[in-house]
Amino acid sequence: MGIFGRDRREPDAYAPDDDYAYAADAEASGDDGYYDESGDEYDGEGPIAGPYDEDEVPDDGLARLDLGSVRLPLPADAQVQVEMDPVGPLRAVHVLTPNGRFTVSAYAAPRSGDLWPEISRELADQLHGDGARVRREYGEWGAELVAFVNDVLLRFVGVDGPRWMLRAVSAGPKETSAKAAEELRDIVRGAVVVRGPQPMPVRTPLPLTLPEEIAQHIEQAQTGQA
């Protein structure tokens, strides 16, 4: 695992902004830029394991990056990019590979679950309204969203768990999108969510923390720049 450093909110060709606001022209995939491939149903074959609740983690020997509310397996030769909020908590942690950038977040959800279908519909509408081409596909955990923004392909995977929802996003060039999709699913399959017992409003992001090694690396880098 490498450490990529700190993201100070410079523009990133692979990264959507916080509001998923895109300014892309609808290309030749329908008059309104939105189409739904509802026929691409998951055939029930292939591995489904995680994501796991913290009480259900298997003894699989898989090394995971501990980010507090989520623990993530990392692809080979991956780097970690930390996105800091100058006046608040850690904003996000991204995993980078030659195929794209991956971001995994967890949120408080109702006991009944079923938050991701609601979120995915809202996200598809917002992406479409902002000019992105959006396609709905179906994978191991149900509906996935694929959004095309110029030469960048974004894939959103969501999973409802016990009082939490996990959302994973990949972003990268279309040429490596198939490999990026597999890497994204591998991360989700091995992910662990640490919800905690405390009550939280639905949709509240679960807080992220950095491993001591990465926190010290960032602190040293900041000291060197001072």
Side-chain angles (χ1 to χ4, degrees):
M1 179 187 74
I3 298 176
F4 191 83
R6 192 171 62 150
D7 184 351
R8 297 189 178 187
R9 306 301 294 160
E10 294 94 340
D12 187 328
Y14 291 173
D17 65 20
D18 295 334
D19 297 323
Y20 302 100
Y22 302 106
D25 293 331
E27 299 178 11
S29 61
D31 294 339
D32 60 1
Y34 177 82
Y35 55 104
D36 186 349
E37 288 192 354
S38 56
D40 287 350
E41 296 287 349
Y42 178 59
D43 60 10
E45 299 181 358
I48 298 181
Y52 303 99
D53 188 70
E54 60 178 317
D55 296 327
E56 302 174 345
V57 184
D59 185 14
D60 54 12
L62 187 63
R64 294 177 172 88
L65 177 66
D66 188 348
L67 298 173
S69 59
V70 292
R71 302 171 190 162
L72 306 176
L74 298 181
D77 300 322
Q79 294 181 321
V80 174
Q81 183 182 55
V82 177
E83 187 177 315
M84 305 294 294
D85 189 327
V87 295
L90 178 64
R91 186 190 295 267
V93 177
H94 309 290
V95 176
L96 292 88
T97 77
N99 299 312
R101 194 174 91 167
F102 308 87
T103 308
V104 180
S105 306
Y107 301 83
R111 293 182 182 277
S112 60
D114 298 329
L115 183 58
W116 172 242
E118 177 183 340
I119 294 291
S120 65
R121 286 191 296 269
E122 294 174 3
L123 181 56
D125 289 343
Q126 188 167 7
L127 287 164
H128 175 221
D130 289 331
R133 294 195 298 133
V134 182
R135 182 175 74 233
R136 189 183 307 276
E137 297 181 353
Y138 291 85
E140 298 169 39
W141 301 278
E144 300 179 4
L145 292 181
V146 179
F148 297 87
V149 185
N150 297 325
D151 292 327
V152 177
L153 186 144
L154 299 157
R155 181 178 296 272
F156 298 83
V157 173
V159 185
D160 287 306
R163 299 174 62 234
W164 52 259
M165 183 200 78
L166 187 77
R167 188 187 70 182
V169 186
S170 65
K174 295 178 183 179
E175 292 76 15
T176 60
S177 61
K179 293 181 179 178
E182 283 306 309
E183 288 180 333
L184 180 69
R185 294 180 181 121
D186 284 342
I187 292 172
V188 173
R189 289 185 195 114
V192 175
V193 179
V194 182
R195 166 63 173 80
Q198 65 273 23
M200 293 183 185
V202 171
R203 301 191 182 206
T204 299
L206 302 185
L208 296 170
T209 59
L210 290 176
E212 187 64 25
E213 175 189 359
I214 297 179
Q216 289 180 356
H217 178 89
I218 292 174
E219 183 178 356
Q220 292 171 359
Q222 291 174 331
T223 301
Q225 294 173 358

